Amino acid sequence: MSKKIAVLPGDGIGPEVTTQAVRVLEAIRSDFEFETALVGGAAYDDSGHPLPASTLDLCRASDAVLFGAVGGPKYDKIQPPEMRPEVGALLPLRSELNLYANVRPAKTMKALLSSSPLRGDRGRMDLVVMRELTGGIYFARPRERRDNGNTAVDTCIYRRHEVVRIAEHAFAIARQRRREIVSVDKANVLETSRLWREVVTEMAQSNPDVKVTHMLVDNCAMQLVRDPGQFDVILTENMFGDILSDEASMITGSLGLLPSASLSDPKDGTVFGLYEPIHGSAPDIAGLNKANPIAAILSAAMLLRYSFNDTENAERIEAAVESVLEDGLRTADIAGTETSPITTVEMGDAILSALK
Ligand code: IPM
Ligand code: MG
């Protein structure tokens, strides 16, 4: 039976990079059926809403979602702010599809070690940030102004079950890696963090094959720069994960190369998920055939791994990407001054031929 993949290219460079990811999936699997829908600014222009009901319905009827990027200067002034592409499309997609487990691997690739802002070997790292994605300060209410606009209120709430389910994902992923979780919180100040630490501590006792330690978020931010190689899985709440995953990605020296997965409940060894590059819509280079499609292509590899249990093909794609980088092929974002850059489509071509 064929499997349905919802393709949401979005804005800016989203469509260009997503096209390359779809080409790669088409080359590898003959049982995928792709259906494209509008999201973000493109959807807002079309229908006045960044996440039309038809797009959400398509996602619900699909086996996985491949997402490009949303947003751009054209949409920054939309009122109310809840209708802006990032907030009006991405956040409701996450909550409506119950995508509470955000997996953000950050691994330095050998061919790009010299691009890390950390000197020499110090930039070498291979970690995964497991970020809780549908709770905490991003979603809790009230969020409002009081006192004639002079007081602003955001609310942070975590419930035990929300911590349990993201931690379960973290244990599962740790078991496929080096079996070490650092749970990151601010338990010296925040009540939500004390609950978080309590729950993770209990779960560590019933999962003794994984080593669990706890770290305060400010210390973690510092440790990432001091010695990023010490981390295997970082398990953390929504906002800390947002910040730490940007920090970790930059240490790889290649923001444009990193994929991510946002996952729901596991079922029969696979899991419904939305897969997207961590980079944004890069409106300044949109439509110029300049964008790096690697993050989108590696997101397609994550789609195979998590939603279809197809580790073999996921690894094939990852190996193809590493090999084109080792051959010295570079899009403009990583070309530096010595190499002349290739285009988005040429990078897609190169990865396709490396797959064969
Ligand atoms: C991310 C982004 C989003 C977030 C924004 C665009 C709402 O920064 O996916 O990390 O904060 O979650
Ligand atoms: Mg972010």
Side-chain angles (χ1 to χ4, degrees):
M1 220 179 72
S2 81
K3 304 282 185 193
K4 185 137 143 187
I5 313 292
V7 182
L8 312 188
D11 307 320
I13 61 170
E16 294 161 82
V17 298
T18 309
T19 300
Q20 300 309 314
V22 170
R23 282 177 78 199
V24 166
L25 287 175
E26 274 170 341
I28 260 185
R29 300 269 302 223
S30 51
D31 59 336
F32 282 178
E33 182 201 318
F34 299 91
E35 194 173 331
T36 301
L38 293 175
V39 74
Y44 182 84
D45 287 341
D46 181 70
S47 67
H49 199 289
L51 182 64
S54 54
T55 298
L56 194 54
D57 288 344
L58 170 68
C59 295
R60 288 203 169 102
S62 300
D63 297 289
V65 182
L66 196 61
F67 189 93
V70 293
K74 189 177 159 197
Y75 308 105
D76 283 349
K77 292 196 179 68
I78 293 179
Q79 288 296 335
E82 290 78 41
M83 294 293 275
R84 288 178 48 171
E86 296 89 342
V87 183
L90 212 45
L91 297 191
L93 263 175
R94 290 171 180 171
S95 62
E96 290 292 324
L97 299 174
N98 198 29
L99 304 171
Y100 59 82
N102 187 214
V103 189
R104 298 189 168 184
K107 180 179 173 189
T108 2
M109 299 201 203
K110 224 171 56 226
L112 294 172
L113 196 54
S114 61
S115 314
S116 172
L118 300 188
R119 254 173 296 137
D121 245 20
R122 304 184 90 192
R124 196 180 290 283
M125 68 170 193
D126 179 1
L127 62 79
V128 170
V129 178
M130 282 298 293
R131 168 188 176 194
E132 200 289 327
L133 202 60
T134 56
I137 200 167
Y138 272 62
F139 287 93
R141 293 294 185 266
R143 163 169 303 149
E144 63 193 23
R145 287 293 179 101
R146 293 175 190 164
D147 181 25
N148 289 324
N150 294 311
T151 302
V153 179
D154 290 296
T155 308
C156 187
I157 298 179
Y158 268 107
R159 298 173 179 84
R160 173 172 286 269
H161 78 94
E162 292 174 317
V163 185
V164 169
R165 62 186 188 174
I166 178 76
E168 277 168 353
H169 270 283
F171 280 103
I173 281 182
R175 284 197 178 92
Q176 297 160 12
R177 301 174 47 93
R178 304 194 298 276
R179 293 179 184 247
E180 287 184 20
I181 294 176
V182 175
S183 175
V184 173
D185 61 39
K186 190 73 185 173
N188 52 348
V189 178
L190 302 175
E191 204 52 45
T192 43
S193 281
R194 283 190 280 272
L195 172 66
W196 184 281
R197 193 176 280 220
E198 198 178 296
V199 174
V200 174
T201 303
E202 283 168 27
M203 291 176 72
Q205 281 157 7
S206 39
N207 292 277
D209 61 318
V210 176
K211 181 179 159 217
V212 179
T213 53
H214 303 269
M215 195 179 271
L216 296 173
V217 62
D218 49 348
N219 184 26
C220 181
M222 182 275 279
Q223 293 293 341
L224 269 173
V225 179
R226 194 185 69 87
D227 174 21
Q230 71 182 283
F231 295 102
D232 180 20
V233 177
I234 292 177
L235 163 64
T236 193
E237 63 124 273
N238 205 342
M239 188 158 73
F240 299 157
D242 179 42
I243 299 165
L244 294 175
S245 62
D246 266 29
E247 187 186 356
S249 66
M250 191 56 224
I251 293 169
T252 69
S254 53
L255 201 60
L257 302 196
L258 298 185
S260 75
S262 302
L263 307 176
S264 186
D265 288 321
K267 211 169 84 198
D268 310 325
T270 67
V271 51
F272 178 80
L274 177 148
Y275 301 86
E276 63 174 318
I278 70 156
H279 62 65
S281 59
D284 50 321
I285 57 162
L288 299 179
N289 196 18
K290 267 174 130 171
N292 190 341
I294 289 181
I297 290 170
L298 291 175
S299 299
M302 290 187 89
L303 176 150
L304 291 172
R305 174 173 288 118
Y306 293 114
S307 287
F308 297 95
N309 223 346
D310 186 357
T311 315
E312 190 189 326
N313 281 319
E315 286 174 356
R316 263 180 79 199
I317 295 175
E318 287 156 359
V321 167
E322 296 230 16
S323 86
V324 302
L325 289 173
E326 263 151 42
D327 290 347
L329 297 180
R330 301 280 187 274
T331 41
D333 56 314
I334 47 174
T337 45
E338 276 114 75
T339 11
S340 61
I342 62 171
T343 66
T344 309
V345 177
E346 283 165 346
M347 183 57 95
D349 291 342
I351 291 168
L352 276 175
S353 51
L355 274 172
K356 292 186 182 125

